Amino acid sequence: MTSQDIIVRSTSVLSIQSHVVHGYVGNKASTFPLQMLNWDVDVLNTVNFSNHTGYGSLKGDCASGEQLLEIYNGLKQINVQYNAILTGYVHGFDTLDAVGKICTDVKDRAESANKEVLWLLDPVMGDEGVLYVEKDVIPVYRTILDTQKVDIVTPNQYELELLVDQKITCLQSLKKALKIFHEKYSVKHIVLSSLFAESFEDLEGGQETIYCCVSSIHLPEKLVLFKIEKISGYFTGVGDMFSALLLDRVTKTGDIIVSVSEVLTIMKNVLTTTKNLGGVSGKIGNKNMKDCELRVIEFLTVQFL
């Protein structure tokens, strides 16, 4: 048997996220892992920065909605088609509105050809009560979700609260928020990437524990919780890589629970690798911020060599 006999055709994905020249957030955290997992990744960048904002300074610019639509129209002209869409950080109203139009069109074109496209949307807006995009993106996300074309959403606790306009303080309020989300937007799966035990009245673990929660439209009253012990240190790009790997696993396994479990295991290993190589000393806004960058190359090199 030759190498030509075992070639497996890649699966295609349109990844619409931020881009940084240095570091691993947005498309930089997603593209290489997906390529290593046999995905053909088309990258559409919502921003083009020298580095992410955590460094305290950066150079570069943001793409306008008109620019993204122009690029997408070029892709349509050559009839590029996709098996999946991955959307992450979008900075403002105009650009997010364009992203919604692009993804809706990809889904509509596929449906007209009797094909399916999986859309995983990560509504990157903020964390732990801090909003780091323009406030007017919140209603745009709701409008996008109203199309009922999004298959999987991966918000954190704060982002879910913003989308349903409700505070979450206990498991009962969490179930209520998720039920509203499922019923209103018909999203198949909601994967809450982080719930902080200390902000809940009825979750064990305190400050040293976070949870990942999975809710499916078929079982809206049943939550699956994964308890995660915190790894000390500050890490960037974790959610971006998590969403990319989840897209891969769901596509291949068809099981959201199994997929989340496998991705959490991988992410633990990535963070452990990053910490072992110095990822505990970095802090937002200082010169050691680069130590917080995920060691994507080092981790994947070990896995695939």
Side-chain angles (χ1 to χ4, degrees):
M1 179 180 292
T2 68
S3 60
Q4 294 298 314
D5 296 321
I6 58 175
I7 290 176
V8 178
R9 183 177 292 277
S10 61
T11 312
S12 62
V13 58
L14 176 62
S15 181
I16 310 177
Q17 301 186 70
S18 62
H19 170 75
V20 292
V21 175
H22 174 78
Y24 290 92
V25 298
N27 273 323
K28 281 286 292 289
S30 304
T31 302
F32 183 54
L34 284 172
Q35 289 172 331
M36 294 294 286
L37 292 165
N38 201 41
W39 285 84
D40 185 6
V41 187
D42 278 4
V43 174
L44 188 52
N45 296 320
T46 57
V47 304
N48 186 30
F49 289 161
S50 56
N51 48 271
H52 67 72
T53 56
Y55 283 84
S57 66
L58 57 83
K59 297 293 183 181
D61 52 29
C62 302
S64 68
E66 183 180 0
Q67 288 171 327
L68 293 186
L69 288 168
E70 181 181 6
I71 293 171
Y72 175 66
N73 285 332
L75 296 172
K76 284 181 66 176
Q77 287 177 2
I78 59 173
N79 197 32
V80 178
Q81 299 180 11
Y82 300 101
N83 302 108
I85 314 166
L86 175 63
T87 54
Y89 177 80
V90 184
H91 60 283
F93 174 94
D94 172 67
T95 310
L96 182 58
D97 181 63
V99 170
K101 291 176 180 176
I102 290 168
C103 296
T104 299
D105 188 67
V106 171
K107 294 276 288 190
D108 287 343
R109 290 170 62 209
E111 288 172 10
S112 66
N114 294 317
K115 297 179 180 178
E116 291 187 5
V117 173
L118 178 70
W119 182 358
L120 189 153
L121 183 151
D122 184 5
V124 181
M125 293 183 283
D127 200 4
E128 298 186 62
V130 179
L131 190 70
Y132 42 68
V133 294
E134 298 173 15
K135 192 173 182 178
D136 58 5
V137 305
I138 300 172
V140 184
Y141 272 117
R142 292 175 183 150
T143 299
I144 289 172
L145 290 164
D146 267 331
T147 65
Q148 301 191 354
K149 293 187 180 295
V150 178
D151 300 289
I152 305 173
V153 179
T154 58
N156 56 40
Q157 179 180 338
Y158 177 57
E159 290 161 344
L160 179 63
E161 290 174 338
L162 291 173
L163 291 171
V164 298
D165 197 23
Q166 290 189 17
K167 190 70 177 174
I168 297 169
T169 58
C170 62
L171 290 175
Q172 190 58 40
S173 59
L174 174 61
K175 289 180 180 179
K176 181 180 177 181
L178 291 169
K179 184 177 181 181
I180 291 171
F181 201 98
H182 280 305
E183 290 179 349
K184 185 172 184 180
Y185 303 126
S186 295
V187 174
K188 295 183 181 71
H189 308 296
I190 306 170
V191 180
L192 288 169
S193 55
S194 60
L195 299 172
F196 292 89
E198 60 185 312
S199 67
F200 273 69
E201 300 169 2
D202 48 4
L203 281 180
E204 299 178 351
Q207 294 183 350
E208 298 306 312
T209 304
I210 59 176
Y211 287 83
C212 178
C213 173
V214 182
S215 176
S216 179
I217 197 169
H218 304 297
L219 298 167
E221 297 296 326
K222 182 180 179 181
L223 304 182
V224 178
L225 292 168
F226 294 88
K227 187 177 181 181
I228 307 165
E229 297 300 320
K230 280 187 180 179
I231 297 176
S232 61
Y234 182 85
F235 306 95
T236 59
V238 177
D240 303 322
M241 189 172 180
F242 175 88
S243 294
L245 294 175
L246 181 61
L247 176 72
D248 171 72
R249 297 317 305 150
V250 168
T251 302
K252 291 172 180 173
T253 70
D255 188 315
I256 189 67
I257 306 300
V258 170
S259 298
V260 170
S261 179
E262 291 179 353
V263 172
L264 288 174
T265 299
I266 295 170
M267 292 308 304
K268 179 181 179 181
N269 293 335
V270 172
L271 295 183
T272 300
T273 300
T274 302
K275 178 181 177 180
N276 291 341
L277 292 174
V280 294
S281 60
K283 293 181 180 180
I284 293 178
N286 75 15
K287 64 181 181 180
N288 294 323
M289 190 66 200
K290 59 175 61 68
D291 292 335
C292 304
E293 302 285 0
L294 295 179
R295 299 303 181 110
V296 176
I297 303 299
E298 290 89 338
F299 173 75
L300 289 177
T301 299
V302 171
Q303 298 302 305
F304 287 93
L305 282 182

